[in-house]
Amino acid sequence: MTTPHPDHDRGLEFDLSTLLSRRRGLGMLFGAGAAAALAACTPSAGGGSASPSSTATATASTTAAASPSASATSTVTRAFAECGVEIPEETLGPYPGDGSNGPNALEASGVVRRDIRSSFGGSTTKAEGVPLTVTLTLLDNSNGCAPLAGAAVYAWHCDQGGKYSLYDSGLENENYLRGVQEADANGQLTFSTIYPGAYSGRWPHIHFEVFESMSNATAAGQVLAVSQIALTESACKEVYATSGYEASARNFPNTTLTSDNVFGDDGGVYQLATMSGSVSGGYTAALNVTV
């Protein structure tokens, strides 16, 4: 069987070196906060990502001070109950398209969008697949888990065949399944996309970077967190039984959450999305992201 991405996820050490090179090239001066964030990303002696801390119990005063507005969704309410564990830092992988490893979609006009199914700019090719709506709730761990309003997320993932735009053969001029969104007053943002495929060696996932602001995201500025969303087994089985996902149906049984080289250290406990939906109606995935 052909392995689509034999060098996928070369590790945090590689990612950090490329990120630092990119920042230096742009003349970025790292303050104490950025330095601390990078230090937290450094791999352990065993080569894995840093283990998440134990869940902290929010005090009543902290919860009251950071309570979401009445318009917040149930995801926001649940996020406060779960807050206290920062999202595990993970590899960007070799296909980020953020300028750290080749092409930079973040500098392209049109990358700020909710619907990321189509390419933008010179192409309008649309990625086919089962619809998926992804909602992230960003929380500021240094500020009593208050919503991280105004932060921005760059998200990207493979298509239903396990291929990445901007990198894979024949897709170098496509930039679909990549986009940036800004968090609202409740720290929430949403992407409309398609269910990603499963390729050899990885559990189905979505990559994302959290930036301090929208201007940072579109100018390759300070990164607050780099992580990945893990999709649920039940949804994957349902989706991969449909037309167009034949390769995923073959690849999916070969990697488990615990054997995956990204989620395997803790089974993706802090990165596994809450999911619902159906093949006919589309799926939703929600994740609380504490940074």
Side-chain angles (χ1 to χ4, degrees):
M1 179 183 296
T2 301
T3 303
H5 305 294
D7 63 342
H8 197 283
D9 296 338
R10 284 175 277 180
L12 281 166
E13 199 165 8
F14 165 79
D15 291 341
L16 288 173
S17 66
T18 53
L19 281 170
L20 284 169
S21 297
R22 180 177 71 179
R23 304 301 188 263
R24 291 190 184 109
L26 291 169
M28 282 291 297
L29 296 176
F30 284 87
L38 282 175
C41 298
T42 304
S44 63
S49 60
S51 298
S53 61
S54 58
T55 303
T57 301
T59 63
S61 59
T62 299
T63 303
S67 294
S69 66
S71 62
T73 69
S74 58
T75 305
V76 174
T77 304
R78 182 167 55 81
F80 281 90
E82 296 177 356
C83 190
V85 179
E86 293 189 1
I87 192 78
E89 292 284 340
E90 305 292 6
T91 175
L92 283 163
Y95 310 112
D98 64 352
S100 64
N101 187 29
N104 191 350
L106 295 179
E107 294 182 345
S109 176
V111 71
V112 179
R113 64 219 185 111
R114 172 175 171 145
D115 191 334
I116 64 174
R117 291 174 293 179
S118 298
S119 287
F120 57 93
S123 173
T124 57
T125 302
K126 185 176 181 179
E128 298 298 327
V130 173
L132 174 66
T133 300
V134 179
T135 298
L136 300 180
T137 302
L138 308 182
L139 300 171
D140 185 355
N141 200 40
S142 65
N143 189 27
C145 290
L148 200 58
V153 168
Y154 167 47
W156 70 98
H157 63 82
C158 68
D159 61 21
Q160 67 178 174
K163 305 295 185 181
Y164 284 86
S165 65
L166 295 175
Y167 292 91
D168 273 299
S169 178
L171 301 180
E172 297 90 342
N173 296 320
E174 302 293 349
N175 51 25
Y176 55 59
L177 307 181
R178 299 176 183 276
V180 174
Q181 278 287 280
E182 183 178 32
D184 63 16
N186 294 311
Q188 286 194 315
L189 51 91
T190 298
F191 292 98
S192 297
T193 185
I194 58 106
Y195 207 98
Y199 51 85
S200 183
R202 283 304 316 275
W203 182 266
H205 60 282
I206 297 172
H207 294 264
F208 67 92
E209 289 182 275
V210 181
F211 290 86
E212 189 175 43
S213 65
M214 181 70 82
S215 59
N216 274 186
T218 54
Q222 182 177 337
V223 177
L224 300 181
V226 179
S227 198
Q228 299 179 28
I229 305 168
L231 304 179
T232 63
E233 181 178 12
S234 58
C236 288
K237 287 181 175 178
E238 292 168 356
V239 172
Y240 298 157
T242 65
S243 176
Y245 287 95
E246 290 81 5
S248 296
R250 294 190 297 270
N251 292 326
F252 180 64
N254 300 325
T255 304
T256 65
L257 264 173
T258 53
S259 68
D260 183 78
N261 64 355
V262 170
F263 304 124
D265 56 347
D266 61 5
V269 63
Y270 300 119
Q271 294 153 284
L272 187 63
T274 299
M275 299 192 66
S276 63
S278 65
V279 168
S280 59
Y283 287 84
T284 63
L287 184 71
N288 304 325
V289 179
T290 304
V291 298

